[in-house]
Amino acid sequence: GRFAGNVGIKDGKIVEVGTGDLTGKKVVDVEGKMISPGFIDIHMHEDKLEDNRIILEIFNYMACMGVTTAVGGNCGLGKARIDKYLKAFAQQGAPVNYLGLLGHASLREDVGRGDRYSPASREEIKEMGEMIKRGLAGDAAGLSFGLEYIPGTSTEEMLELCRAAAEFPGKLVAAHYRFDANRSLEAMGEMIIIARETGVKFQISHIGSCIAFGQMEPGLQMLTAAHKAGVDLMADVYPYDAFCTYVGSAIFDPGCFENWGVGYDSLQVAQGKYRGQRCDKEIFEYIRENEPDDLVIAFVMDEEEVVQAMQHDLVMIGSDGLMNDGQGHPRSTGTFPRVLGKYVRRVGELELVEAINKMTYMPAKRLGLDDKKGRIKEGYDADIIVFDYNSIIDKSTFKEPALAPEGIINVLVAGEEVVVDGKLTGNYPGKVIKF
């Protein structure tokens, strides 16, 4: 709920919440502003590790939009051996806390199954299962799949690997579905069966880019029915009607445009020599062949259906933020302010308390962190944001995806200010979250 009051912080924790006067070494007056738990981004793509250093970019954007805890390693793209990354993160710190998922694509590469179109052998599946158990016994927060990126993954492979993950009940399994648009309900069905058969805590990644093509209503009905039947299944969504990914990925294999019912011009190139341009056949074929690691944006989803997903009680907000050197999708810098500024304040599609819940307590609970994060409550971590409800809004666009939002005033992680007056302070109190 909402109430007016003060928050006292000590040693990185919230020590007092109430209406009385507080005294302390430092008093920040935020009268007329809103204080919220920091946003928890359950689905993003972390900065890369280069020469044992993480080049901070997306983590900075996260902090600027009010995120205090971010879950990376999604869509199967996380590392198979995550320790090196976690160690680098712990050493250099960051403006946000981090949880990392093991990535299925890297697991496959590590066992020698680099071809995305071929199925893994029994031995390879067994070996991956062992690697998953080692990773989850350590500090990995879970396991992620990118089925659409690796079409060769059999359902059997998924089941076996999820059975390995199921030995660690607190950990998350997140999956980027096998098909979108025309075959998306089939993809939903497969994920429901896997979650049911293995008993893992299963998260459907960015459900909008799976079923916001005319299948939202039946897709959400399937989600509700499975959940009612006791399957541990939830989803996340970002508040945009366009997705963004690498042009060389299997998502753009022949037949994709027919599936979406669009032409080449629905794709906008996010980087490289055609940056900012819409594709035609020639541009598309050129970048797919020569610049497969460049990001493109696909304007293919239905906004009303994305809103339906945001309103659903099993769906939380996740940014799917992914940036390559300032290029990418505005969701990386705008997601959470956009939900509050556009969908709560301007168009009233969501209630304020409900929206905040989908960005704080709900993902905290999903990750098993609800005893220390996601609420403004005594004894909880002092991951807190101050925002101006009257002005909060995303500013980034598809042409300029790196613009900071408006209205996020202060961001504190473990009681330390990482953003003051909308600007990064250079403090790096962010930690690897272990459980």
Coordinates of all heavy atoms in Angstrom, one line a residue, residues 238-275:
Y238 N 8.2 -6.9 -21.2 CA 8.7 -5.5 -21.2 C 7.7 -4.6 -22.0 O 7.0 -5.1 -22.9 CB 10.1 -5.4 -21.9 CG 10.3 -6.0 -23.2 CD1 9.9 -5.4 -24.4 CD2 10.8 -7.3 -23.3 CE1 10.0 -6.0 -25.6 CE2 11.0 -7.9 -24.6 CZ 10.6 -7.3 -25.7 OH 10.7 -7.9 -26.9
P239 N 7.6 -3.3 -21.7 CA 6.4 -2.5 -22.1 C 6.6 -1.9 -23.5 O 6.5 -0.7 -23.7 CB 6.3 -1.4 -21.0 CG 7.8 -1.2 -20.6 CD 8.4 -2.6 -20.7
Y240 N 7.0 -2.7 -24.5 CA 7.2 -2.2 -25.9 C 6.6 -3.2 -26.9 O 6.5 -4.4 -26.5 CB 8.7 -2.1 -26.1 CG 9.4 -1.0 -25.3 CD1 9.9 -1.4 -24.0 CD2 9.6 0.2 -25.8 CE1 10.5 -0.4 -23.3 CE2 10.3 1.2 -25.0 CZ 10.7 0.9 -23.8 OH 11.4 1.8 -23.0
D241 N 6.3 -2.8 -28.0 CA 5.7 -3.7 -29.0 C 6.8 -4.0 -30.1 O 6.4 -4.4 -31.2 CB 4.5 -3.0 -29.7 CG 4.8 -1.7 -30.4 OD1 6.0 -1.3 -30.4 OD2 3.9 -1.1 -30.9
A242 N 8.1 -3.9 -29.8 CA 9.1 -4.3 -30.7 C 10.1 -5.1 -29.9 O 10.4 -4.8 -28.8 CB 9.8 -3.1 -31.3
F243 N 10.7 -6.2 -30.5 CA 11.8 -6.9 -29.8 C 13.1 -6.6 -30.5 O 13.2 -5.8 -31.5 CB 11.5 -8.4 -29.8 CG 11.7 -9.2 -31.1 CD1 12.9 -9.5 -31.6 CD2 10.5 -9.6 -31.8 CE1 13.1 -10.2 -32.8 CE2 10.7 -10.4 -33.0 CZ 12.0 -10.6 -33.5
C244 N 14.2 -7.1 -29.9 CA 15.5 -6.7 -30.4 C 16.4 -7.9 -30.1 O 16.4 -8.4 -29.0 CB 16.0 -5.5 -29.6 SG 17.7 -5.1 -29.9
T245 N 17.2 -8.3 -31.2 CA 18.1 -9.4 -31.0 C 19.2 -9.4 -32.1 O 19.1 -8.5 -33.0 CB 17.4 -10.8 -30.9 OG1 18.4 -11.7 -30.4 CG2 16.9 -11.2 -32.2
Y246 N 20.1 -10.3 -32.0 CA 21.2 -10.4 -33.0 C 20.7 -10.8 -34.4 O 20.0 -11.8 -34.4 CB 22.3 -11.3 -32.5 CG 22.9 -10.9 -31.2 CD1 22.5 -11.5 -30.0 CD2 23.8 -9.8 -31.1 CE1 23.0 -11.1 -28.8 CE2 24.3 -9.4 -29.8 CZ 23.9 -10.1 -28.7 OH 24.4 -9.7 -27.5
V247 N 21.0 -10.2 -35.4 CA 20.5 -10.5 -36.8 C 20.9 -11.8 -37.3 O 20.3 -12.4 -38.1 CB 20.8 -9.3 -37.8 CG1 22.3 -9.3 -38.1 CG2 20.0 -9.4 -39.0
G248 N 22.1 -12.3 -36.8 CA 22.6 -13.6 -37.2 C 21.9 -14.8 -36.5 O 22.1 -16.0 -36.9
S249 N 21.0 -14.5 -35.6 CA 20.4 -15.6 -34.8 C 19.3 -16.4 -35.6 O 18.8 -15.9 -36.7 CB 19.7 -15.1 -33.5 OG 18.5 -14.4 -33.9
A250 N 19.0 -17.6 -35.1 CA 18.0 -18.5 -35.8 C 16.6 -17.9 -35.9 O 15.8 -18.3 -36.6 CB 18.0 -19.8 -35.1
I251 N 16.4 -16.8 -35.1 CA 15.1 -16.2 -35.1 C 14.8 -15.6 -36.5 O 13.6 -15.6 -36.9 CB 15.1 -15.1 -34.0 CG1 15.0 -15.7 -32.7 CG2 13.9 -14.1 -34.2 CD1 15.2 -14.8 -31.5
F252 N 15.8 -15.2 -37.2 CA 15.6 -14.7 -38.6 C 15.8 -15.7 -39.7 O 16.1 -15.3 -40.8 CB 16.5 -13.4 -38.8 CG 16.2 -12.3 -37.8 CD1 17.0 -12.1 -36.7 CD2 15.0 -11.6 -37.9 CE1 16.8 -11.1 -35.8 CE2 14.7 -10.6 -36.9 CZ 15.6 -10.3 -35.9
D253 N 15.7 -17.0 -39.4 CA 15.7 -18.0 -40.4 C 14.6 -17.8 -41.4 O 13.6 -17.2 -41.0 CB 15.7 -19.4 -39.7 CG 17.0 -19.8 -39.1 OD1 18.0 -19.0 -39.2 OD2 17.1 -20.9 -38.5
P254 N 14.7 -18.4 -42.6 CA 13.7 -18.3 -43.6 C 12.3 -18.6 -43.0 O 12.1 -19.6 -42.3 CB 14.1 -19.3 -44.7 CG 15.6 -19.3 -44.5 CD 15.9 -19.2 -43.1
G255 N 11.3 -17.8 -43.4 CA 9.9 -18.1 -42.9 C 9.5 -17.1 -41.8 O 8.3 -17.0 -41.5
C256 N 10.5 -16.4 -41.2 CA 10.1 -15.6 -40.0 C 9.2 -14.4 -40.4 O 8.2 -14.1 -39.7 CB 11.4 -15.0 -39.4 SG 12.4 -13.8 -40.3
F257 N 9.4 -13.8 -41.6 CA 8.6 -12.6 -42.0 C 7.1 -13.1 -42.3 O 6.2 -12.4 -41.9 CB 9.2 -11.9 -43.1 CG 10.5 -11.2 -42.8 CD1 11.7 -11.8 -43.3 CD2 10.6 -10.2 -41.9 CE1 12.9 -11.2 -43.0 CE2 11.8 -9.6 -41.6 CZ 13.0 -10.1 -42.2
E258 N 7.0 -14.3 -42.9 CA 5.7 -14.8 -43.1 C 5.0 -15.1 -41.8 O 3.8 -14.8 -41.6 CB 5.8 -16.1 -44.0 CG 6.3 -15.9 -45.4 CD 7.8 -15.7 -45.5 OE1 8.5 -15.7 -44.5 OE2 8.2 -15.6 -46.7
N259 N 5.7 -15.7 -40.9 CA 5.2 -16.0 -39.6 C 4.6 -14.7 -38.9 O 3.6 -14.8 -38.3 CB 6.3 -16.7 -38.7 CG 5.8 -17.0 -37.3 OD1 4.6 -17.3 -37.1 ND2 6.7 -17.0 -36.4
W260 N 5.3 -13.6 -39.0 CA 4.9 -12.4 -38.3 C 3.9 -11.6 -39.2 O 3.3 -10.6 -38.7 CB 6.1 -11.5 -38.0 CG 7.1 -12.2 -37.1 CD1 6.9 -13.0 -36.1 CD2 8.6 -12.0 -37.2 NE1 8.1 -13.4 -35.5 CE2 9.1 -12.8 -36.2 CE3 9.5 -11.3 -38.0 CZ2 10.5 -12.9 -35.9 CZ3 10.8 -11.4 -37.8 CH2 11.3 -12.2 -36.8
G261 N 3.8 -12.0 -40.4 CA 2.9 -11.2 -41.3 C 3.4 -9.8 -41.7 O 2.6 -8.9 -41.8
V262 N 4.7 -9.7 -41.8 CA 5.3 -8.4 -42.1 C 6.4 -8.5 -43.2 O 6.7 -9.6 -43.6 CB 6.0 -7.8 -40.8 CG1 5.0 -7.5 -39.7 CG2 7.1 -8.7 -40.3
G263 N 6.9 -7.4 -43.6 CA 7.9 -7.4 -44.6 C 9.3 -7.0 -44.0 O 9.4 -6.8 -42.8
Y264 N 10.3 -7.0 -44.8 CA 11.7 -6.6 -44.3 C 11.7 -5.3 -43.6 O 12.5 -5.1 -42.7 CB 12.7 -6.6 -45.5 CG 13.0 -7.9 -46.2 CD1 12.4 -8.2 -47.4 CD2 13.8 -8.8 -45.6 CE1 12.6 -9.4 -48.0 CE2 14.1 -10.0 -46.2 CZ 13.5 -10.3 -47.4 OH 13.8 -11.5 -48.0
D265 N 10.8 -4.4 -44.0 CA 10.8 -3.0 -43.5 C 10.4 -2.9 -42.0 O 10.4 -1.9 -41.4 CB 10.1 -2.1 -44.4 CG 8.6 -2.4 -44.4 OD1 8.2 -3.5 -44.0 OD2 7.8 -1.6 -44.9
S266 N 9.9 -4.1 -41.5 CA 9.6 -4.1 -40.0 C 10.8 -4.1 -39.2 O 10.8 -4.0 -38.0 CB 8.7 -5.2 -39.7 OG 9.4 -6.4 -39.8
L267 N 12.0 -4.4 -39.8 CA 13.2 -4.4 -39.1 C 14.0 -3.1 -39.2 O 14.2 -2.6 -40.3 CB 14.2 -5.5 -39.6 CG 13.8 -7.0 -39.4 CD1 14.9 -7.9 -39.8 CD2 13.3 -7.3 -38.0
Q268 N 14.5 -2.6 -38.0 CA 15.4 -1.5 -38.0 C 16.7 -1.9 -37.5 O 16.8 -2.6 -36.5 CB 14.8 -0.4 -37.1 CG 15.6 0.9 -37.1 CD 14.9 2.0 -36.3 OE1 13.7 2.2 -36.5 NE2 15.6 2.6 -35.3
V269 N 17.8 -1.5 -38.2 CA 19.1 -1.8 -37.8 C 19.6 -1.0 -36.7 O 19.5 0.3 -36.8 CB 20.1 -1.7 -39.0 CG1 21.5 -2.2 -38.7 CG2 19.5 -2.4 -40.3
A270 N 20.1 -1.6 -35.6 CA 20.4 -0.8 -34.4 C 21.9 -0.4 -34.4 O 22.3 0.5 -33.6 CB 20.1 -1.6 -33.2
Q271 N 22.8 -1.0 -35.2 CA 24.2 -0.6 -35.2 C 24.8 -0.9 -36.5 O 24.2 -1.5 -37.4 CB 24.9 -1.3 -34.0 CG 24.7 -2.8 -33.9 CD 25.3 -3.4 -32.7 OE1 24.8 -4.4 -32.2 NE2 26.5 -3.0 -32.2
G272 N 26.1 -0.6 -36.6 CA 26.8 -0.8 -37.9 C 26.5 0.2 -38.9 O 26.0 1.3 -38.6
K273 N 26.9 -0.1 -40.2 CA 26.8 1.0 -41.2 C 25.4 1.3 -41.6 O 25.2 2.4 -42.2 CB 27.7 0.6 -42.4 CG 27.2 -0.5 -43.3 CD 28.1 -0.6 -44.5 CE 27.5 -1.4 -45.6 NZ 28.4 -1.4 -46.8
Y274 N 24.4 0.5 -41.3 CA 23.0 0.8 -41.7 C 22.2 1.3 -40.5 O 21.0 1.3 -40.5 CB 22.3 -0.4 -42.3 CG 22.9 -0.8 -43.7 CD1 23.7 -1.9 -43.8 CD2 22.6 0.0 -44.8 CE1 24.2 -2.2 -45.1 CE2 23.2 -0.3 -46.0 CZ 24.0 -1.4 -46.2 OH 24.5 -1.8 -47.4
R275 N 22.9 1.6 -39.4 CA 22.2 2.0 -38.2 C 21.1 3.0 -38.4 O 21.3 4.0 -39.1 CB 23.3 2.6 -37.2 CG 22.7 2.9 -35.9 CD 23.6 3.7 -35.0 NE 22.7 4.2 -33.9 CZ 23.0 5.4 -33.3 NH1 24.0 6.1 -33.6 NH2 22.1 5.8 -32.4

